Amino acid sequence: MTGVALDRLQRALIDVQGQDRGDLASLLQYVRIVVSNDELISQDPRVNGMLINMLANATSTPDYSVRIQGGWLLANLTNKNNVCGIVDTLFNSNLDFKARGNLLEIVGKLTTQLQSDVAGWLKTALDRPTEYRDTRADIMQAVLAGRLASPETLKDSSPRDFATCVNLPNIGSTYVGKPSDNAAYSVYIHAGNANPAEVAKVREALVKAGFNVKGDDKDVDLAGTGVDYSLKGPDSSLALSKAAAISSIVYQSINRTIGTRAQSLTPVAAFGVWL
């Protein structure tokens, strides 16, 4: 039953714009009933940062029934390994203020458990200006100071969860870094059949971020879109983080989500952007 419910939920969240709000609220209630009887739900690999992020984004709405049902699910499915899904949503400055309060309440209960990298993402999200200031955010900021010094990191304790979290667009953007540092990285754009205007926007954004962007071609990858990064370097987590930053730049420039892909043949300090 849990598997069926999660599959239905994920399909609905992927196409959330096409969902009737009443139908979505009913589905959320159905999933709530099913998972409330599953004591192992938090250990299900499908309940990862990506699912939590889609759920947080879809239910951060003024629609009361959707927000309440979604909030209940988030409160019962979120743990310290997948809370990055909510953290990524908190980067959005235009969140409905009631939804933001709900999300802060859920994250607040996990603040003292956060790994240092997750604490860093959360601090960056809370530092961003918002229309409504919440005292819970101020309290969390004080706690985060201690968590930032924690030796425990998400990438060490759970590589799969780190890879999922760093691919979220707002979290990925925290790894863009300084333009002067990015000059050491080469980016090859493979445009395929993409709109030339969009390709130009991606190129401009990458150059602005300091990356050494090479000439683009019309090559198409039959495996689909993605940002290829090298497995050869001494620090694969750094390569993944920088690939996620590039993916985030693509998302912010043309509103397209492309994931990261580890490749054994990609040269060190080089990235292939397949559009």
Side-chain angles (χ1 to χ4, degrees):
M1 286 291 289
T2 298
V4 172
L6 291 178
D7 288 344
R8 286 186 59 184
L9 176 63
Q10 188 165 36
R11 287 198 302 271
L13 295 177
I14 290 173
D15 185 31
V16 71
Q17 298 301 323
Q19 292 286 320
D20 176 85
R21 306 309 286 181
D23 290 345
L24 179 59
S26 297
L27 175 60
L28 293 171
Q29 186 176 36
Y30 159 72
V31 178
R32 168 184 173 176
I33 293 170
V34 171
V35 302
S36 65
N37 295 312
D38 189 341
E39 296 179 355
L40 301 177
I41 184 63
S42 63
Q43 301 175 28
D44 193 307
R46 287 168 292 193
V47 185
N48 59 17
M50 191 68 70
L51 179 66
I52 294 297
N53 182 242
M54 289 193 295
L55 182 59
N57 289 337
T59 59
S60 294
T61 168
D63 188 307
Y64 178 81
S65 58
V66 170
R67 190 176 72 249
I68 294 302
Q69 295 292 346
W72 188 96
L73 269 179
L74 286 169
N76 285 272
L77 296 180
T78 304
N79 55 51
K80 68 177 185 178
N81 285 348
N82 63 25
V83 69
C84 63
I86 295 180
V87 172
D88 195 82
T89 300
L90 287 172
F91 274 82
N92 302 329
S93 58
N94 59 345
L95 272 181
D96 175 82
F97 78 99
K98 291 184 178 179
R100 180 179 176 82
N102 290 346
L103 297 181
L104 288 173
E105 196 74 41
I106 296 168
V107 176
K109 295 178 180 178
L110 295 169
T111 308
T112 58
Q113 306 173 32
L114 297 182
Q115 293 93 334
S116 59
D117 35 21
V118 184
W121 301 332
L122 179 56
K123 186 178 187 309
T124 302
L126 296 179
D127 283 342
R128 294 200 170 190
T130 58
E131 185 176 354
Y132 301 98
R133 190 66 191 179
D134 195 297
T135 55
R136 283 167 292 196
D138 297 327
I139 295 171
M140 289 163 64
Q141 286 277 27
V143 177
L144 288 176
R147 297 308 303 166
L148 289 169
S150 169
E152 184 183 9
T153 62
L154 185 61
K155 55 190 170 187
D156 290 336
S157 61
S158 181
R160 178 181 61 82
D161 287 312
F162 177 77
T164 300
C165 294
V166 79
N167 270 289
L168 296 172
N170 291 314
I171 288 175
S173 70
T174 66
Y175 292 96
V176 172
K178 299 178 181 178
S180 57
D181 295 333
N182 291 333
Y185 301 107
S186 298
V187 179
Y188 298 83
I189 299 177
H190 306 288
N193 299 317
N195 185 322
E198 290 190 341
V199 177
K201 287 182 179 179
V202 170
R203 168 182 281 276
E204 181 182 1
L206 289 170
V207 170
K208 185 177 180 181
F211 290 99
N212 182 15
V213 182
K214 304 295 186 179
D216 56 80
D217 55 45
K218 297 294 184 182
D219 289 354
V220 174
D221 189 336
L222 296 179
T225 61
V227 178
D228 293 348
Y229 66 95
S230 178
L231 281 172
K232 299 176 183 176
D235 189 347
S236 60
S237 64
L238 174 61
L240 167 59
S241 300
K242 200 54 77 168
I246 293 171
S247 176
S248 176
I249 289 173
V250 173
Y251 176 80
Q252 292 173 0
S253 59
I254 62 173
N255 195 31
R256 283 188 61 191
T257 301
I258 62 173
T260 58
R261 308 183 300 195
Q263 303 288 345
S264 59
L265 298 179
T266 300
V268 176
F271 300 88
V273 178
W274 297 85
L275 296 177

